[in-house]
Amino acid sequence: MFAFGDYNTSDLLWLGDWSPTWIAFLTVIGLAVLAFSAYDLRDLKLHRRLTLIGLRGLVFGLAVLLLLEPALDLRQISKVENHVIVLVDESQTMGLKTDDGESTRFDRVRQALEEFGPLEEVGADDHHFDYFTYGADLESTSRSAIDGLEPTARAADLTGAIEEVIERYEGKDIAAVVILSDGLDTGAIGRRTARGEDLDLGSRQLLESLDAPIHTLAAAGEEGLRDAAVSRVLHDDFAFVHNKVSVDVELQAIGMGTKSIPVTLRRDGQVLQTRSVQVHPEESTYDLSFEFVPEQIGKEVYTVDIPHYDGEALYENNQHHFVLRVIRDRIRVLQVVGRPSWDQRFLRRLLKRNPNVELISFFILRTDRNPQVVPQDEMSLIPFPTDELFRDELGSFDLVVFQNFNFGPYHMGRYLGNIADYVRDGGAFAMIGGDLSFASGGYARTPIESLLPVNLPSSSAASAVMDSEHFNPELTEAGDRHPLTQLSFDPERNREIWADLPALQGTNIVHGATDDATVLATHPEITHGGEPMPVVTVAERGEGRVLAVTSDSTWRWGFEHIGEGGTAREYQHFWSSAIRWLIQDPELKLVRLDMHRDIIAPDTPIDATVRVFSPDYSPAADVEGVLSIEHTPLEALTDSSAGSAEAYDTMSFTTDHGGEWDLDRRFNSPGVYQFEAQVSSPAGPLSDDNLVLVTPDFAQYRDIVPRNDLLERIAHATDGYHAVLPDFRPRRLQFNEPRFVEVHRREVVQLWDNIFLFLFILGLLGAEWTLRRRWGRL
């Protein structure tokens, strides 16, 4: 490479379009010619022979050179600056104090960046310094702007920052990457092992794809750091009521010496369990577990906390709050049957096959017409445990089913009031027809009659209380939409399905529905008071629900329908939906208060919606209601003396045309906010409750021990430089030389297209011919 005038570089070009094969062929030809010449001139003296061979070889070489068309490429160029990428961690942990007790980790970064001024000046011709901050995202900035920043980011995604750099600088020349951080990466790079930090294959490939050294400047060391933290809590998002739950806790302790640290698990501020962990200087992380049994369905706020110790770096990481959704495990159903029947058999089999149902079934095996050798109250598969079922264990059942059951012979009259109280306190009750049910079973003027959604005739004569004819129940307008009778979401298709079901055989006679009941299906012929007689009827009773089905032949939907080419799906769907509605499956409540997030940060919008439905499950538009809010301070979750739940606010709302109302609210004060939405209905107040935990996001503070080993591994894997601030030698930062240049001016001079070269070749040929003639050769 040579310089000519205004050009500072040059290269020799070959413009001829000759392949390497042709060049090799010409070379062989030339050598063959010279060899033949040497043989032909063997009788000449050596110096004459060499002179002629040399002239001939020179002529042949120049001829081949002309064929290759040589040219000189003259250029005026300058280097294109490559990029030194500086990544500065601005996460919350960078604001923690260092071992001197005065400066923060970010202060040390600021001091180190002051050394970058001279670096920029020295490398001004070759390198351009690009500054970025990173937290959850990568943000472009300048060195002077960083001096005024405060570390507030709630994440430190170093992995994401490197990936973004690779994407932004694709096809560009990178001189080096400089990372200033405490190494606490919330991304995926690196992993902690028993032997220290390690880089997996994916992390190494990510770093190597930069094709540049990565220099790491650690913002702080571990010296002088003292802190105990609940660094991680692992739990499921939901748990089953009355089932054991396990919560795994990771405790981190550094600079705490040797001591026993109590770790406490609390539920809604009340202590559940306490475990002690013995910490010592040789180890920094400790694992422990809690096991407990939730006692009620709903959301519960749990807290894992440790005491505050003098001299800790911070106290925000000494507790961890989480919300656990406790749901129903298995539905406990008590089925009491007066006598074996196809209807009982089909329903029992349906319930037994459902893995979510725990069935307790009692049915009488003998009737009054059988010879009796034992007392009437012992006519059951096993002795009927009335005391245990209807006094001691009644509250443990989610649903009680009386299926063609006459209570009288078993001395149960004194327990019917218990069943009524059980339903009004939130239980569920279903009565299914038959000749031992409804008025035929003697339930008129008993506490059960007050529960039923239908009115019972006063007469007990068989002709007045039973009808044995076949019939097809007809859906009401409410039945088209109610989930219990909705066999298809399309109302027209739903009616077609009901019309195609096998006919039912026989029904109990009832005198219409009660005022607050919802009739879903009626008899096509039997009427009372000018209205079709109810066959399937539901109602709300206090906190509970009841269902009345006046026929004991719904089994035909699951038997005869198969014989007619149908399926048992309709039978299964009907009774499964009935059970879900009776036990008040949250998805079937008439008032629903949905919180789409359980935990939010202060001053974050609440994402909540109140949905109200009519008894037939059509959207209840223009319904007025009240939303009540209670607030429990966050401190009360770890200290009962810090306060308790207090009324926070009450607001009125009106649902829109879709039966919904959205809550638009923010809360600045941390704590638990309990919401209750309430509307009025003919059956009484309807309500739903929910909660949200408002707490600052302390995820960044769960692990505050600098990961300097990780930063050192990153530097070592890319041939970079690692230092722990404030010890920093700027000259140790090595940068790749620029690989790209910019051409400002270019000229190609063709060397072969020259008359003097042609004349020189002719002169050589003439000299060879003259000497050959003089020396006696033709």
Side-chain angles (χ1 to χ4, degrees):
M1 196 176 284
F2 304 95
F4 296 88
D6 295 333
Y7 301 100
N8 55 12
T9 186
S10 62
D11 289 309
L12 186 63
L13 301 179
W14 305 96
L15 304 181
D17 188 16
W18 293 87
S19 68
T21 302
W22 276 108
I23 295 174
F25 177 73
L26 293 174
T27 302
V28 171
I29 293 296
L31 292 175
V33 170
L34 293 177
F36 179 78
S37 297
Y39 178 78
D40 183 55
L41 301 173
R42 65 185 181 277
D43 55 343
L44 293 179
K45 294 181 179 180
L46 180 62
H47 70 279
R48 294 180 177 181
R49 182 170 53 187
L50 293 177
T51 300
L52 293 176
I53 292 174
L55 289 172
R56 291 175 183 179
L58 186 58
V59 170
F60 185 83
L62 291 174
V64 172
L65 189 66
L66 289 176
L67 291 175
L68 295 178
E69 301 179 19
L72 196 61
D73 184 16
L74 303 177
R75 287 167 295 166
Q76 185 184 54
I77 65 172
S78 62
K79 294 181 180 179
V80 176
E81 296 176 335
N82 58 9
H83 300 271
V84 176
I85 302 164
V86 183
L87 303 179
V88 178
D89 183 353
E90 63 165 345
S91 62
Q92 291 173 324
T93 57
M94 294 292 288
L96 298 176
K97 296 289 186 182
T98 59
D99 55 355
D100 62 12
E102 298 291 334
S103 61
T104 66
R105 298 176 183 180
F106 205 73
D107 289 335
R108 288 189 172 178
V109 169
R110 293 191 185 98
Q111 295 169 6
L113 288 178
E114 293 177 0
E115 304 290 340
F116 278 64
L119 284 177
E120 291 185 43
E121 294 177 3
V122 171
D125 294 335
D126 294 334
H127 313 297
H128 183 273
F129 284 70
D130 299 331
Y131 291 88
F132 296 91
T133 58
Y134 72 91
D137 301 300
L138 187 69
E139 300 290 342
S140 179
T141 185
S142 64
R143 184 161 55 87
S144 58
I146 292 174
D147 191 55
L149 286 179
E150 291 298 329
T152 58
R154 294 177 178 175
D157 190 1
L158 177 57
T159 308
I162 293 175
E163 291 174 341
E164 181 71 15
V165 166
I166 293 172
E167 182 178 342
R168 291 192 185 192
Y169 288 84
E170 183 178 4
K172 298 181 180 179
D173 188 14
I174 299 178
V177 176
V178 184
I179 299 173
L180 298 96
S181 170
D182 55 13
L184 296 174
D185 173 38
T186 57
I189 195 169
R191 61 182 179 182
R192 279 176 171 164
T193 67
R195 294 176 295 178
E197 299 285 356
D198 190 20
L199 294 175
D200 56 25
L201 179 60
S203 298
R204 290 181 180 276
Q205 290 176 341
L206 176 67
L207 300 176
E208 291 170 359
S209 64
L210 286 167
D211 195 23
I214 299 178
H215 308 300
T216 55
L217 304 181
E222 296 183 12
E223 297 79 8
L225 181 62
R226 175 180 169 86
D227 190 64
V230 180
S231 57
R232 186 167 56 171
V233 175
L234 299 178
H235 61 88
D236 294 326
D237 293 331
F238 64 90
F240 295 111
V241 68
H242 305 309
N243 282 259
K244 186 180 295 184
V245 177
S246 179
V247 175
D248 297 324
V249 179
E250 181 183 87
L251 179 69
Q252 187 178 81
I254 185 169
M256 301 299 296
T258 301
K259 64 174 55 184
S260 179
I261 297 181
V263 184
T264 303
L265 174 67
R266 306 174 193 265
R267 177 170 56 205
D268 294 329
Q270 302 299 313
V271 175
L272 286 182
Q273 298 174 26
T274 298
R275 300 271 190 275
S276 292
V277 177
Q278 189 72 24
V279 302
H280 46 83
E282 292 76 21
E283 192 172 351
S284 60
T285 58
Y286 306 84
D287 296 322
L288 65 151
S289 295
F290 292 98
E291 290 186 345
F292 61 94
V293 177
E295 298 295 338
Q296 60 185 14
I297 297 172
K299 286 184 183 179
E300 297 176 330
V301 179
Y302 290 82
T303 304
V304 177
D305 66 273
I306 58 177
H308 294 180
Y309 295 97
D310 293 338
E312 285 193 74
L314 72 165
Y315 296 125
E316 287 85 348
N317 58 9
N318 286 44
Q319 58 272 330
H320 184 103
H321 308 286
F322 63 94
V323 176
L324 187 66
R325 294 171 180 261
V326 182
I327 62 177
R328 194 187 309 273
D329 178 17
R330 301 182 70 190
I331 304 167
R332 295 199 78 209
V333 178
L334 173 62
Q335 181 191 25
V336 183
V337 185
R339 69 165 64 96
S341 67
W342 283 106
D343 205 44
Q344 164 268 320
R345 181 178 180 180
F346 269 71
L347 182 58
R348 185 173 185 272
R349 184 170 62 179
L350 173 70
L351 296 174
K352 291 287 286 186
R353 288 181 174 179
N354 189 336
N356 297 318
V357 172
E358 179 184 350
L359 177 64
I360 307 297
S361 182
F362 287 91
F363 50 94
I364 308 303
L365 294 179
R366 304 183 65 183
T367 68
D368 292 338
R369 289 173 291 183
N370 297 121
Q372 298 183 18
V373 295
V374 294
Q376 180 81 14
D377 60 356
E378 295 183 10
M379 289 186 184
S380 58
L381 184 62
I382 61 174
F384 199 9
T386 51
D387 282 347
E388 291 85 351
L389 289 177
F390 299 108
R391 185 186 64 190
D392 301 333
E393 300 294 332
L394 184 60
S396 69
F397 293 101
D398 300 295
L399 169 62
V400 176
V401 179
F402 277 11
Q403 188 169 12
N404 195 25
F405 175 68
N406 180 4
F407 71 92
Y410 312 103
H411 310 295
M412 283 185 51
R414 64 183 182 273
Y415 299 113
L416 299 185
N418 293 355
I419 297 174
D421 293 339
Y422 153 79
V423 172
R424 291 188 173 91
D425 288 339
F429 178 77
M431 181 171 284
I432 302 173
D435 61 349
L436 301 178
S437 192
F438 292 100
S440 300
Y443 290 100
R445 294 181 298 278
T446 69
I448 294 297
E449 183 181 23
S450 67
L451 286 181
L452 293 175
V454 293
N455 297 311
L456 302 182
S458 57
S459 172
S460 60
S463 60
V465 295
M466 292 294 298
D467 181 87
S468 60
E469 297 298 322
H470 288 73
F471 71 97
N472 289 95
E474 296 179 347
L475 288 183
T476 64
E477 184 177 348
D480 285 333
R481 291 184 294 267
H482 200 283
L484 195 150
T485 48
Q486 194 176 59
L487 302 181
S488 172
F489 290 114
D490 180 3
E492 183 176 347
R493 176 57 184 154
N494 192 45
R495 286 183 174 272
E496 291 177 357
I497 293 174
W498 276 86
D500 291 339
L501 290 175
L504 301 179
Q505 183 179 7
T507 180
N508 293 80
I509 301 298
V510 296
H511 286 178
T514 59
D515 293 338
D516 52 0
T518 301
V519 179
L520 306 180
T522 60
H523 199 285
E525 298 178 0
I526 301 176
T527 62
H528 180 80
E531 297 292 333
M533 189 194 78
V535 175
V536 181
T537 315
V538 295
E540 307 269 350
R541 292 290 183 258
E543 299 294 324
R545 291 178 173 178
V546 293
L547 163 69
V549 179
T550 61
S551 177
D552 65 347
S553 56
T554 58
W555 64 273
R556 294 175 177 270
W557 296 342
F559 182 71
E560 293 185 9
H561 203 209
I562 296 177
E564 296 171 358
T567 68
R569 174 189 173 277
E570 290 78 13
Y571 175 82
Q572 297 167 356
H573 190 104
F574 173 80
W575 281 111
S576 296
S577 298
I579 293 170
R580 288 182 62 200
W581 183 84
L582 283 166
I583 67 170
Q584 303 188 49
D585 187 316
E587 295 183 3
L588 301 181
K589 295 183 71 172
L590 295 180
V591 176
R592 304 178 202 167
L593 176 54
D594 297 327
M595 293 286 177
H596 304 294
R597 288 188 294 170
D598 297 331
I599 303 176
I600 62 172
D603 198 31
T604 301
I606 294 286
D607 187 9
T609 303
V610 178
R611 295 180 173 87
V612 183
F613 300 88
S614 301
D616 62 0
Y617 281 83
S618 60
D622 301 321
V623 172
E624 296 181 351
V626 175
L627 181 71
S628 303
I629 307 175
E630 289 186 347
H631 173 239
T632 302
L634 195 64
E635 296 79 10
L637 298 181
T638 54
D639 181 4
S640 57
S641 64
S644 58
E646 295 182 354
Y648 183 83
D649 196 5
T650 300
M651 59 184 69
S652 301
F653 65 85
T654 303
T655 59
D656 59 18
H657 66 281
E660 297 184 356
W661 178 74
D662 294 323
L663 175 61
D664 183 15
R665 192 69 181 270
R666 297 170 184 261
F667 299 97
N668 292 321
S669 300
V672 179
Y673 290 83
Q674 184 78 41
F675 300 81
E676 182 182 28
Q678 188 174 89
V679 301
S680 299
S681 75
L686 298 177
S687 65
D688 192 20
D689 57 69
N690 213 323
L691 63 82
V692 65
L693 174 63
V694 178
T695 178
D697 185 0
F698 294 127
Q700 263 286 297
Y701 291 141
R702 295 297 166 199
D703 182 1
I704 65 172
V705 180
R707 297 179 67 182
N708 295 342
D709 289 347
L710 172 62
L711 295 176
E712 186 175 9
R713 290 272 187 175
I714 291 173
H716 179 74
T718 58
D719 296 326
Y721 166 67
H722 172 73
V724 179
L725 300 177
D727 298 328
F728 166 46
R729 299 177 183 178
R731 294 189 178 183
R732 295 287 301 276
L733 300 180
Q734 300 297 317
F735 305 139
N736 290 339
E737 290 296 322
R739 294 182 297 170
F740 302 148
V741 296
E742 183 178 2
V743 179
H744 303 285
R745 185 179 176 188
R746 183 182 184 187
E747 181 179 355
V748 178
V749 179
Q750 297 182 358
L751 301 178
W752 66 275
D753 189 11
N754 191 304
I755 186 61
F756 297 106
L757 180 60
F758 182 70
L759 293 176
F760 180 66
I761 294 174
L762 290 179
L764 292 176
L765 289 174
E768 191 275 341
W769 182 81
T770 302
L771 291 175
R772 180 162 44 85
R773 295 282 295 180
R774 179 177 298 178
W775 294 334
R777 304 291 295 179
L778 296 178

